[in-house]
Amino acid sequence: MADSSFDIVSKVERQEVDNALNQAAKEISQRYDFKGVGASISWSGEKILMEANSEDRVKAILDVFQSKLIKRGISLKALDAGEPQLSGKEYKIFASIEEGISQENAKKVAKIIRDEGPKGVKAQVQGDELRVSSKSRDDLQTVIALLKGKDFDFALQFVNYR
């Protein structure tokens, strides 16, 4: 019998992020507490730029954006937001969306699978994802449950289960 396998990836649907950003921009333009403070959120190249005239307001914009991401099913672990920076009279926060599993994080996950997972389960790093294979589908389910129970500082999705 052939091995069953699945891939562990860290991907974010760009369109969903775009939708969340547009919803946040609409809410910011309509909310009374953001009137007249120069509050805005937009794409700046590959980064997301949030601007307002006070540190509290720019943090509130980040909070609105995070709530929109959560509603769209995007893990906040994929959002890498910097600290508010004063630029002239404006405060700015740059945020980026992290995708892919770094080599060291992939090695950490593979080590957890080797140490705590069922025997006979193999994990190999393939670029920015991890392929997990085993003869038993039950073992693969156990590995998924094990990894969901762990708290990583990056988002994980399980795809190509076969």
Side-chain angles (χ1 to χ4, degrees):
M1 188 176 135
D3 283 1
S4 300
S5 68
F6 68 89
D7 295 334
I8 301 172
V9 297
S10 181
K11 293 199 182 334
V12 175
E13 190 72 39
R14 172 78 181 217
Q15 187 61 50
E16 290 296 324
V17 175
D18 214 26
N19 291 343
L21 185 111
N22 291 334
Q23 286 179 338
K26 185 174 182 183
E27 182 173 323
I28 288 163
S29 71
Q30 293 175 344
R31 270 182 38 181
Y32 179 77
D33 57 334
F34 287 121
K35 293 277 188 250
V37 296
S40 69
I41 182 169
S42 61
W43 285 105
S44 174
E46 284 296 306
K47 292 190 179 281
I48 297 162
L49 171 64
M50 292 161 261
E51 299 178 288
N53 67 359
S54 75
E55 190 172 344
D56 292 339
R57 287 285 166 248
V58 81
K59 285 182 178 176
I61 293 170
L62 178 61
D63 192 44
V64 168
F65 182 53
Q66 288 174 334
S67 72
K68 299 300 179 193
L69 287 174
I70 291 169
K71 283 183 183 172
R72 294 218 150 267
I74 298 171
S75 172
L76 291 183
K77 293 176 181 178
L79 180 70
D80 181 25
E83 288 299 310
Q85 302 165 338
L86 183 60
S87 172
K89 293 183 178 178
E90 297 270 304
Y91 279 89
K92 297 181 178 185
I93 293 180
F94 285 100
S96 59
I97 303 295
E98 300 291 322
E99 287 194 300
I101 301 173
S102 70
Q103 289 291 328
E104 67 182 56
N105 286 338
K107 287 177 184 172
K108 281 184 205 169
V109 173
K111 182 172 177 15
I112 288 172
I113 292 170
R114 263 196 321 275
D115 295 348
E116 300 175 32
K119 298 280 182 252
V121 175
K122 297 185 287 290
Q124 59 232 121
V125 178
Q126 296 180 336
D128 61 352
E129 56 185 48
L130 197 67
R131 166 79 40 99
V132 181
S133 57
S134 171
K135 295 224 181 289
S136 162
R137 286 183 166 227
D138 290 343
D139 288 351
L140 293 180
Q141 294 286 356
T142 306
V143 169
I144 290 175
L146 169 75
L147 294 177
K148 282 185 176 178
K150 298 285 181 191
D151 186 31
F152 295 105
D153 56 350
F154 52 96
L156 291 180
Q157 291 89 31
F158 306 100
V159 296
N160 294 340
Y161 185 82
R162 50 182 158 220

